[in-house]
Amino acid sequence: MPSVRELLGTAVEGLGGTERTGQIEMAEAVSNAIRTGQHLAVQAGTGTGKSLGYLVPAIRHAVEREATVVVSTATIALQRQLVDRDLPRLATTLRSTLGRTPTFAILKGRRNYLCLHRLDTGAPEEPDDQSLFDPFAVSALGKQVRRLHEWAEQTSTGDRDELVPGVTELAWRQVSVSAKECLGATRCPVGNDCFAELARAEAGRADIVVTNHALLAIDALQEYQVLPEHDLVVIDEAHDLVDRVTSAATAELTSTMVTAAVRRCGRLIDQAITDQLAESAEGFGLVLDEVPAGRMDALDQPVEGALRAVRDAAHACITAIGPERRQEAEDASRRKLALALLDEVHDTAVRLLDAFDADTSQRYDVVWRSGEPAPRLPALRVAPLSVSGLLRERLFAQRTTVLTSATLALGGSFDVLARQWGLPPTSPAEPRPPEGTATAKAPPSDQSVPQWTGIDVGSPFDHGRSAILYVARQLPPPGRDGLPESYLDELASLVEAARGRTLGLFSSMRAAKQATEALRDRLSYPVLCQGDDATGLLVRQFADEQTSCLFGTLSLWQGVDVPGSALQLVVMDRIPFPRPDDPLASARQRAVEARGGNGFLTVAATHAALLLAQGAGRLLRSSTDRGVVAVLDPRLATARYGSFLRASLPPFWETTDPDVVRGALRRLADAAASAKPEAPSGSANAGPSK
């Protein structure tokens, strides 16, 4: 078997690329992790070619050991890049060297695949309550479902992502089932043709299985196995792992869910028993209407009583349906659908009640009442304060894990994210973070977790020569009442100097719209705003119109790839701390402080550092890119935590002088204008999170 170094050389040559020092270092480090079983965290900057850096050693391992390797990503864009471009080309290139063609497959949760049995029998529940009173919505739903029936005759995969244009979530639910609702391949009349089962079978035979963080989390959370047997997992976009696992472990309860469970029971059980569940749904809805939105530190008696009523009524329905027995497929399907929702309602009610059993400092879950805008009904939500224990027990203790991203070393240390993953601190050999940061005090050593290593393989970009980090130190700290006039003036002067070519990243949609309206009146350059059209279309328009601007919020901070002179200025309006009233972040801060730590630095500053680094990473997407990252929030330069945040960013040349920055932007704009017109950027990409 050729060495990883030889295989990487073959791959790079076959794909028409050039060798990169960071890519070689990464591939050898991944190979070493596979050999030793030691976990690995790799920070690999944009342009490193990290996909090849982990795919080559992963393929070598899979072929040599006849094993399966799981590659998990956070975004649809990267999944598609791996499955549609990187892996097919790599498999062809390595075929002769390896002696056979490496195989690969993509695997998603069951809900992402068309269910043929559901398609034949129809959805048992009615549309959402709001749709029942809107004939236009019902008509639109019917058209989409008919389109899904037509698509079912053509598709070979049943994969929702292959349906273009897509359909609403409500329409898709009419033709899909969750894992708990599924009859199972052996009992389903069309089990042999099941798209989800075919995808799982293909994944079981593949060398490389591409999935997402959500399914990886579900595989860890559930008692049954979702992913095929594997001894190595590569987690790309690992900076998003904790948030994705937290989302998968979050549950919610609404009165609508309970009412839907009543409908699913139908004629399966005695009417008197379902009436009790219906009454509990009504009572829960009335009580929830009176609860203010936000985190709940104590369980009020009315809420507790309503939750107990829902729990007990759901349990009575489950008991009445009874254990599984031989039935016709249609009857078995109705029973399965009813039990799936009843179990979810019951288990969530139990979890919500149990969340308040311990003292505040000893709790594992946080509960809050959502403040959903009308017409959505309010919900009680429950999420884990930490997923480190889950990851530690169900991921790192089970198999060798490689985590990689362009953003892992926050404040100059891997320890910040490692704690969230459940890994112990690194060895003292790693560079110490800036004094006073969240990682200044190392936690006790824990030998029960396998050892791990963190390496930064750098980037081929010369950040200090290619880009400037400008902090508008002269501006006042941001307030809560929208963007101050001084911020709008500064933003306008920067955009004017850059002659458009600006990506504006804002902490709220309100701020993005305020800036859009203000600058459209002041500037002659087109200003696009997220929400005006589909995000992908806006990004392509921004890339094609060389002097345009694009303003938006979170999905743009992490999902935009626009190389070339169409983007030479990235502006962030403020340090993206979580909102003070964010229930999960505030509860996590309180938990850290209860243990004697600094909750603000550990939770809020870490959140901000990740987003700042991701936002700044939008600027340099190729080795020839040049530009400015401008942060209007002066606290990045003046606050004590500013050193931690700046240490999380690429090593740009830094300044607080607005004249220097405007001069640099004008020179870049002049150079871009005098250059030959660029072809529309086919690589412009917006990859929204899944």
Side-chain angles (χ1 to χ4, degrees):
M1 176 68 66
S3 69
V4 164
R5 182 69 181 81
E6 292 169 332
L7 281 177
L8 183 61
T10 300
V12 170
E13 182 181 358
L15 297 177
T18 56
E19 287 196 343
R20 306 167 194 176
T21 303
Q23 189 181 66
I24 296 170
E25 184 181 356
M26 179 177 181
E28 291 178 341
V30 173
S31 178
N32 183 65
I34 294 171
R35 186 174 63 255
T36 63
Q38 187 177 69
H39 306 306
L40 175 69
V42 185
Q43 177 164 283
T46 304
T48 304
K50 62 182 171 66
S51 296
L52 274 188
Y54 63 72
L55 285 176
V56 168
I59 288 173
R60 182 185 186 278
H61 170 70
V63 171
E64 183 182 35
R65 299 293 180 86
E66 296 186 356
T68 295
V69 175
V70 168
V71 176
S72 178
T73 76
T75 61
I76 296 173
L78 183 54
Q79 283 183 26
R80 293 260 63 96
Q81 176 188 315
L82 290 173
V83 174
D84 296 341
R85 191 183 73 183
D86 294 351
L87 281 167
R89 297 168 65 199
L90 192 55
T92 301
T93 301
L94 297 180
R95 178 173 50 204
S96 59
T97 308
L98 291 173
R100 70 170 176 85
T101 303
T103 57
F104 56 91
I106 188 168
L107 186 62
K108 306 173 184 179
R110 188 172 292 271
R111 182 66 93 175
N112 291 278
Y113 298 98
L114 189 76
C115 173
L116 294 173
H117 184 249
R118 185 77 172 256
L119 198 73
D120 290 341
T121 58
E125 68 264 35
E126 300 89 348
D128 288 348
D129 290 346
Q130 287 78 26
S131 299
L132 291 175
F133 301 102
D134 185 349
F136 295 104
V138 174
S139 174
L141 176 66
K143 290 178 180 177
Q144 291 187 70
V145 172
R146 282 197 299 275
R147 183 166 157 249
L148 285 167
H149 278 260
E150 294 169 358
W151 176 67
E153 299 295 326
Q154 307 165 0
T155 179
S156 59
T157 65
D159 186 340
R160 180 180 182 178
D161 288 332
E162 294 184 7
L163 179 65
V164 180
V167 295
T168 63
E169 181 63 26
L170 180 58
W172 184 255
R173 284 209 308 267
Q174 313 306 304
V175 297
S176 65
V177 296
S178 66
K180 289 184 177 180
E181 295 169 334
C182 177
L183 283 174
T186 57
R187 300 192 61 192
C188 181
V190 288
N192 290 335
D193 299 317
C194 175
F195 290 122
E197 291 297 326
L198 291 173
R200 290 190 65 187
E202 184 181 1
R205 297 187 296 268
D207 296 315
I208 305 293
V209 175
V210 178
T211 188
N212 55 57
H213 295 351
L215 194 62
L216 187 72
I218 291 169
D219 189 63
L221 287 164
Q222 303 295 340
E223 296 180 358
Y224 54 87
Q225 187 173 332
V226 177
L227 297 170
E229 285 289 345
H230 58 286
D231 61 356
L232 172 67
V233 59
V234 178
I235 300 174
D236 203 340
E237 301 174 308
H239 62 274
D240 253 350
L241 179 64
V242 169
D243 283 347
R244 299 307 173 104
V245 174
T246 300
S247 294
T250 298
E252 76 169 21
L253 186 65
T254 67
S255 59
T256 302
M257 287 173 57
V258 187
T259 302
V262 173
R263 291 198 300 267
R264 286 195 184 185
C265 287
R267 295 186 296 275
L268 293 172
I269 57 178
D270 188 86
Q271 183 67 39
I273 301 176
T274 57
D275 285 347
Q276 291 179 7
L277 187 60
E279 290 170 6
S280 75
E282 183 178 359
F284 179 63
L286 292 172
V287 167
L288 207 54
D289 283 338
E290 301 301 317
V291 177
R295 193 182 72 212
M296 298 173 62
D297 292 330
L299 194 58
D300 294 340
Q301 188 172 354
V303 180
E304 181 178 2
L307 284 173
R308 290 185 183 278
V310 169
R311 178 198 64 186
D312 295 344
H315 184 266
C317 291
I318 294 168
T319 303
I321 291 177
E324 188 172 347
R325 51 188 178 274
R326 293 188 62 85
Q327 295 170 297
E328 292 293 327
E330 187 173 344
D331 292 334
S333 179
R334 282 200 296 267
R335 181 183 180 279
K336 193 85 171 179
L337 288 167
L339 283 174
L341 190 51
L342 286 168
D343 283 339
E344 183 179 0
V345 166
H346 174 268
D347 294 350
T348 303
V350 169
R351 184 177 170 189
L352 286 163
L353 289 164
D354 290 349
F356 296 93
D357 282 350
D359 292 337
T360 304
S361 61
Q362 302 298 318
R363 290 175 183 170
Y364 294 102
D365 280 335
V366 58
V367 176
W368 70 96
R369 192 270 210 190
S370 67
E372 302 290 1
R376 290 199 63 185
L377 297 175
L380 278 190
R381 293 195 173 122
V382 55
L385 275 170
S386 169
V387 295
S388 60
L390 170 69
L391 292 173
R392 177 172 168 160
E393 177 184 349
R394 303 300 296 273
L395 180 63
F396 296 111
Q398 303 292 328
R399 54 190 58 87
T400 304
T401 304
V402 174
L403 306 107
T404 185
S405 168
T407 310
L408 290 184
L410 301 181
S413 172
F414 288 94
D415 283 353
V416 179
L417 288 180
R419 283 190 183 89
Q420 297 183 9
W421 298 331
L423 292 174
T426 52
S427 65
E430 184 181 356
R432 299 300 301 166
E435 184 180 353
T437 68
T439 57
K441 184 177 179 181
S445 176
D446 188 342
Q447 299 301 322
S448 66
V449 177
Q451 296 298 302
W452 69 281
T453 303
I455 65 168
D456 183 352
V457 300
S459 167
F461 302 161
D462 187 344
H463 291 91
R465 290 180 178 272
S466 300
I468 297 172
L469 172 63
Y470 164 60
V471 182
R473 184 172 185 150
Q474 76 280 6
L475 294 180
R480 296 185 179 181
D481 300 323
L483 294 173
E485 192 65 26
S486 58
Y487 277 50
L488 295 171
D489 291 341
E490 184 72 14
L491 176 59
S493 72
L494 291 170
V495 174
E496 190 72 61
R499 295 176 207 161
R501 311 177 192 278
T502 301
L503 177 65
L505 303 176
F506 294 87
S507 54
S508 69
M509 201 64 230
R510 175 188 174 192
K513 290 180 177 178
Q514 180 189 356
T516 300
E517 292 171 4
L519 266 66
R520 278 176 177 167
D521 291 337
R522 297 191 193 190
L523 303 175
S524 58
Y525 307 110
V527 180
L528 312 173
C529 186
Q530 190 175 9
D532 290 347
D533 205 334
T535 300
L537 294 176
L538 289 172
V539 172
R540 283 192 286 276
Q541 185 179 348
F542 171 58
D544 292 343
E545 295 185 25
Q546 292 285 300
T547 59
S548 64
C549 303
L550 175 59
F551 293 172
T553 55
L554 188 59
S555 63
L556 298 187
W557 285 70
Q558 297 184 290
V560 174
D561 185 6
V562 180
S565 61
L567 174 53
Q568 294 185 331
L569 172 62
V570 172
V571 180
M572 294 179 254
D573 68 326
R574 63 191 298 159
I575 298 172
F577 293 120
R579 290 169 54 95
D581 59 354
D582 180 279
L584 189 52
S586 61
R588 285 174 169 170
Q589 281 190 217
R590 183 180 61 182
V592 171
E593 290 161 359
R595 297 193 300 270
N598 187 319
F600 171 77
L601 287 171
T602 303
V603 178
T606 296
H607 177 275
L610 266 176
L611 275 181
L612 276 174
Q614 288 291 306
R618 300 311 96 206
L619 180 66
L620 301 182
R621 308 306 296 177
S622 74
S623 59
T624 58
D625 286 351
R626 301 290 185 271
V628 171
V629 172
V631 181
L632 304 183
D633 190 336
R635 295 175 297 176
L636 188 60
T638 60
R640 185 183 178 194
Y641 52 75
S643 61
F644 170 73
L645 298 177
R646 294 196 306 276
S648 305
L649 298 174
F652 301 128
W653 188 80
E654 298 183 18
T655 185
T656 57
D657 189 331
D659 291 332
V660 169
V661 169
R662 285 193 287 265
L665 287 170
R666 291 189 192 103
R667 289 191 294 274
L668 287 171
D670 288 342
S674 62
K676 291 182 179 180
E678 298 178 17
S681 177
S683 60
N685 173 52
S689 295
K690 185 174 179 183

